[in-house]
Amino acid sequence: MSYLSLLRRLTVGLSCSASCATAMAGLLVEADPEWKEGEYVLPAAPAEKGLRAFFVSSASPNRFLIDMETLTVDSDGVVRYVLVVRSPSGAESVTYEGIRCATRERRIYASGRKDGSWSESKNSAWAPIVENSYNRPRAALAGDVFCDGPAPPRDRREVLRRLDGALDFINPVQGRRP
């Protein structure tokens, strides 16, 4: 758990008195069994000017970026975005993904090609976000930026505000902002 996520949870916990315990109890129920995923459209390829870095782990030398032009908080409760992962050697991975806060799941809709087109994922399905090296960027986004427990952010502006706040630290390994 990151410092920002822990701070958010402590703030909510301390500000909540006995009167809001009942209201919070509703957050501890199962996700809506009637939920249906909304329609989505594959976005344009990411442009450099729209990319914003976010911190994942000091153990990874990679840079993790979100294309802010593709970021949406949709009515079905899914936060959709393009994730760009760059290695120090210059290799790059581009994926169009979604995170569902209510179930802490992720879905990869498509992978980006060098020519800017998309290759839709053949086995695209919702899968749990687990804390391993492959899913760490998704866990960081779900825990530190997108979700308040099982609740998605109110809107796109809320995500932008959180991303700005998430950059208020220096990466201890690299000695700079991510």
Side-chain angles (χ1 to χ4, degrees), residues 4 8 39 104 113 142 154 177:
L4 186 60
R8 255 193 227 120
E39 296 291 319
R104 195 167 167 83
R113 296 184 178 126
R154 289 186 297 269
R177 291 178 191 270

Side-chain angles (χ1 to χ4, degrees), residues 2 6 13 21 40 91 101 124 148:
S2 75
L6 178 61
Y40 63 90
C101 297
S124 179
D148 285 323

Side-chain angles (χ1 to χ4, degrees), residues 4-167:
L4 186 60
S5 179
L6 178 61
L7 184 59
R8 255 193 227 120
R9 290 179 186 173
L10 285 173
T11 302
V12 169
L14 291 174
S15 66
C16 185
S17 63
S19 64
C20 76
T22 304
M24 286 190 62
L27 295 176
L28 303 177
V29 297
E30 292 294 318
D32 179 8
E34 303 290 319
W35 178 80
K36 299 269 191 267
E37 183 171 14
E39 296 291 319
Y40 63 90
V41 176
L42 295 177
E48 194 65 35
K49 68 179 171 76
L51 298 178
R52 178 159 321 162
F54 66 98
F55 182 74
V56 171
S57 169
S58 58
S60 176
N62 295 334
R63 288 194 45 137
F64 301 90
L65 308 113
I66 294 178
D67 179 12
M68 301 313 294
E69 302 299 318
T70 62
L71 178 70
T72 60
V73 180
D74 296 323
S75 60
D76 59 2
V78 176
V79 182
R80 292 183 178 87
Y81 58 94
V82 169
L83 173 67
V84 177
V85 180
R86 290 185 179 151
S87 74
S89 66
E92 185 172 88
S93 168
V94 178
T95 50
Y96 180 57
E97 307 186 359
I99 288 181
R100 185 171 178 225
C101 297
T103 56
R104 195 167 167 83
E105 292 178 300
R106 54 98 180 147
R107 181 175 175 191
I108 299 175
Y109 298 101
S111 297
R113 296 184 178 126
K114 287 221 180 256
D115 67 1
S117 65
W118 293 101
S119 172
E120 291 195 56
S121 300
K122 288 182 176 59
N123 296 317
S124 179
W126 290 101
I129 297 172
V130 293
E131 293 280 343
N132 62 25
S133 58
Y134 176 74
N135 278 313
R136 186 65 196 122
R138 293 146 194 98
L141 287 170
D144 299 339
V145 181
F146 293 161
C147 308
D148 285 323
R154 289 186 297 269
D155 55 27
R156 187 175 185 280
R157 283 189 326 209
E158 176 68 12
V159 174
L160 295 174
R161 187 191 65 73
R162 289 178 184 182
L163 277 169
D164 286 341
L167 293 177

